[in-house]
Amino acid sequence: MTGIPIFYVTLFHLFSFVKKVFFVIFLFASSCHNLKEHSGQTPSGELLQKSFLVDSALISKTSLHIPQSVRKFYNGRDFSLFWSDERGKLAVADSLLNFIRNAQRLGLIPHDYHIEELDKIARDSVSRDLTSRMDILLTDSYLTLRHHIRYGRLDPQSFQRLDLANTMDEEGIAALEKIVVTLLARDLNFLQPQAEPYQLLKRGLEDLIYSNISDSIKLQRLRAISVNMERWRWEKALPTRFVSVNIPAFLLRVVENDSVWLQSKVVVGKRKTPTPVLESIIRSFIIYPYWHVPFSISTKEFLPAIQADSSYLRKNNFDVLNIKGEVVDGSIIPWKLYDAENFPFILRQREGYENSMGIIKFIFANPYGVYLHDTNSKRLYGRKNRDLSHGCVRVHQAVDLAHYLIREDDIYVSPEDLDQYLSLQQRLKIDLRKSIPLRLQYFTCEVEKGVVQFYDDIYKKDSVMIQSLYRSNSPAEFEEMPL
């Protein structure tokens, strides 16, 4: 075969090289053109850019729970989509949707986070308007859910739904800007109360969801656990050492390093004179205290008894004080001339075993004038329902509680000293070297030894909370409740 002249071979390679150069130039020019469109420098580029933006008008038109925070979030990102991109819904959006669908495991209600509309949009074809609306709803759901998990859904005083319309949740916005799919569920779960009683209730709720209990009982118990998880969201972090009284359980506990050092029966206030929920600090206690009778009890209960029996004061060891705090002779007072409108005296029961305060009264600051104290009516501790007082908490093991509070006191009063003072039956105020936090709480269910215990809603607080949280009492409510 005759060889091809070198000239023609060189010419062929040169032609191929030129063709490749022109092809690269063509691709580069096309890319530049596309970049111009993406940068909004042409009409087609503007349309493409808009397809990745949230329609700001929809924020005002959509029924949102926390609209001010939603608007600020999108303002900070020039209204670009957060939960979607050119390929569609992001994985982090699916993670949030899955979290909302399972919100009942936290005692929350999926309905509160747009789940019906979000699921409907997810099933429909994704137009620009629907993509924009889904993005807005997901953002509102995340910020609302985060706020509910951390702070609760109801006002602790009125039990009415919190209105977040004007809430600017800077912390939530900052958290959302950093969120990724692998952290979303972890971060939302981390916002829950870390207190062991809450975590135990959460486990109890999940067990109940998958139990075979009949629907009516299950609904009742789901409600109870859910509202008590809500109460734990109102609580501050528990100290390592504290005294707690659970009012519906009629129990006082001394807790130190997650261990119960003392548990005692208590008597709490009647429904008409309820024991308040509060936080305070026990700084001292008094042995053989006086009882300064509250005005309402003096006029409603004791005044009629005094008017009926002139010896009532003497028989029950009462002093009568005038407005200056001076003791006056009660036997010469014309008691029938007085009623609640003109009663000018203070009744004070003297110290002793017959005193209604018993032999110990624990002092803590509060605006309600209530105390923890012993009582002279020990028989009441044998009753199952012990909502019997005027608001104070009567402690069955009051002396044991006093011993605990001074057990490490080698400066003021030792436990041995206390026993000696008690035997002398003399009034004495004892300051604590180590004060202790006190919480008067209202939990109608709690976990004991792995089992959820349910207590009577003695002040009917659960029913008010349930009415605020759930839309109806009809059978359709099962669709809104975690089952």
Side-chain angles (χ1 to χ4, degrees), residues 17 64 162 250 290 341 369 412 461:
F17 174 78
L64 302 179
L162 291 172
F250 310 119
Y290 291 135
E341 299 298 324
Y412 299 131
K461 293 187 177 188

Side-chain angles (χ1 to χ4, degrees), residues 1-45:
M1 177 181 291
T2 305
I4 299 174
I6 189 67
F7 171 77
Y8 293 106
V9 173
T10 303
L11 187 61
F12 176 79
H13 285 297
L14 180 62
F15 177 78
S16 299
F17 174 78
V18 171
K19 185 168 70 170
K20 289 179 180 179
V21 169
F22 273 105
F23 182 71
V24 169
I25 292 172
F26 173 79
L27 288 178
F28 179 76
S30 299
S31 298
C32 290
H33 179 71
N34 287 335
L35 284 172
K36 287 177 67 178
E37 286 191 341
H38 278 275
S39 65
Q41 295 179 17
T42 67
S44 59

Side-chain angles (χ1 to χ4, degrees), residues 3 18 22 36 41-42 74 102 133 135-136 147 152 164 180 195 244 257 328 354 368-369 374 404:
V18 171
F22 273 105
K36 287 177 67 178
Q41 295 179 17
T42 67
Y74 285 112
N102 290 281
R133 188 175 183 84
D135 216 87
I136 292 168
H147 202 280
L164 303 181
V180 295
S244 74
N257 296 322
V328 296
E354 296 306 314
Y368 307 100
D374 183 32
Y404 169 83

Side-chain angles (χ1 to χ4, degrees), residues 66-320:
I66 190 165
Q68 298 299 328
S69 295
V70 171
R71 180 172 291 279
K72 180 161 186 180
F73 171 72
Y74 285 112
N75 264 324
R77 52 188 291 105
D78 295 327
F79 289 90
S80 59
L81 292 172
F82 180 77
W83 303 93
S84 301
D85 62 15
E86 67 278 6
R87 292 168 294 182
K89 182 158 49 70
L90 297 173
V92 70
D94 288 323
S95 181
L96 178 59
L97 285 168
N98 186 58
F99 194 96
I100 293 171
R101 292 187 190 105
N102 290 281
Q104 67 270 21
R105 294 181 181 177
L106 276 65
L108 304 175
I109 308 171
H111 171 79
D112 289 341
Y113 312 105
H114 308 293
I115 191 60
E116 294 90 351
E117 185 171 1
L118 285 167
D119 279 341
K120 184 176 184 300
I121 292 173
R123 290 192 299 268
D124 291 343
S125 59
V126 182
S127 67
R128 181 197 162 207
D129 285 346
L130 287 180
T131 301
S132 183
R133 188 175 183 84
M134 172 175 266
D135 216 87
I136 292 168
L137 290 175
L138 284 169
T139 298
D140 187 63
S141 297
Y142 172 84
L143 293 173
T144 305
L145 182 62
R146 192 180 190 279
H147 202 280
H148 285 174
I149 291 172
R150 185 160 193 177
Y151 303 109
R153 297 160 288 173
L154 304 180
D155 178 88
Q157 304 303 321
S158 67
F159 300 152
Q160 297 304 303
R161 280 270 188 172
L162 291 172
D163 184 358
L164 303 181
N166 296 314
T167 298
M168 187 59 69
D169 188 355
E170 302 282 1
E171 185 180 299
I173 293 169
L176 179 55
E177 289 169 346
K178 299 174 184 176
I179 207 70
V180 295
V181 64
T182 55
L183 296 179
L184 186 142
R186 190 194 74 178
D187 287 353
L188 288 175
N189 280 315
F190 182 75
L191 292 172
Q192 297 179 71
Q194 300 305 303
E196 184 181 24
Y198 172 89
Q199 295 295 332
L200 291 173
L201 280 177
K202 181 182 172 185
R203 287 178 220 161
L205 179 68
E206 190 157 349
D207 290 343
L208 182 59
I209 290 171
Y210 296 107
S211 71
N212 295 320
I213 299 173
S214 66
D215 283 349
S216 59
I217 297 174
K218 179 180 283 193
L219 177 60
Q220 184 179 5
R221 293 182 179 178
L222 286 168
R223 286 172 164 181
I225 296 176
S226 296
V227 297
N228 282 280
M229 290 173 72
E230 179 78 3
R231 289 187 177 109
W232 276 110
R233 296 184 184 105
W234 301 335
E235 290 278 325
K236 296 178 184 176
L238 292 174
T240 57
R241 174 177 173 268
F242 62 97
V243 176
S244 74
V245 173
N246 187 6
I247 297 166
F250 310 119
L251 287 175
L252 174 146
R253 297 182 181 95
V254 178
V255 180
E256 186 171 337
N257 296 322
D258 296 326
S259 296
V260 177
W261 281 65
L262 173 67
Q263 181 165 295
S264 173
K265 294 179 179 180
V266 295
V267 172
V268 300
K270 296 175 284 190
R271 188 177 178 187
K272 290 183 178 180
T273 55
T275 297
V277 172
L278 59 83
E279 291 183 31
S280 190
I281 299 175
I282 300 175
R283 301 186 185 278
S284 62
F285 62 87
I286 299 174
I287 60 174
Y288 295 100
Y290 291 135
W291 178 36
H292 291 83
V293 185
F295 179 84
S296 60
I297 300 176
S298 294
T299 55
K300 292 178 181 178
E301 297 185 24
F302 291 147
L303 181 58
I306 296 168
Q307 291 171 336
D309 180 2
S310 59
S311 64
Y312 184 87
L313 291 170
R314 176 179 54 79
K315 291 176 181 177
N316 291 279
N317 295 323
F318 279 107
D319 291 328
V320 180

Side-chain angles (χ1 to χ4, degrees), residues 273-398:
T273 55
T275 297
V277 172
L278 59 83
E279 291 183 31
S280 190
I281 299 175
I282 300 175
R283 301 186 185 278
S284 62
F285 62 87
I286 299 174
I287 60 174
Y288 295 100
Y290 291 135
W291 178 36
H292 291 83
V293 185
F295 179 84
S296 60
I297 300 176
S298 294
T299 55
K300 292 178 181 178
E301 297 185 24
F302 291 147
L303 181 58
I306 296 168
Q307 291 171 336
D309 180 2
S310 59
S311 64
Y312 184 87
L313 291 170
R314 176 179 54 79
K315 291 176 181 177
N316 291 279
N317 295 323
F318 279 107
D319 291 328
V320 180
L321 310 181
N322 62 22
I323 57 174
K324 296 180 181 180
E326 300 167 336
V327 177
V328 296
D329 186 354
S331 64
I332 62 173
I333 295 174
W335 292 105
K336 293 190 178 180
L337 298 179
Y338 297 102
D339 56 26
E341 299 298 324
N342 64 352
F343 191 77
F345 307 108
I346 297 171
L347 300 182
R348 183 183 72 185
Q349 193 173 34
R350 294 186 292 276
E351 67 270 27
Y353 284 98
E354 296 306 314
N355 186 293
S356 295
M357 288 278 178
I359 61 173
I360 300 181
K361 177 174 75 172
F362 301 91
I363 310 297
F364 53 93
N366 69 91
Y368 307 100
V370 298
Y371 307 97
L372 303 183
H373 64 83
D374 183 32
T375 182
N376 60 350
S377 300
K378 307 292 186 183
R379 68 187 185 281
L380 298 179
Y381 295 117
R383 298 179 60 167
K384 178 183 177 182
N385 296 318
R386 297 188 292 275
D387 46 331
L388 305 165
S389 79
H390 293 94
C392 287
V393 178
R394 305 175 190 176
V395 182
H396 188 206
Q397 294 172 245

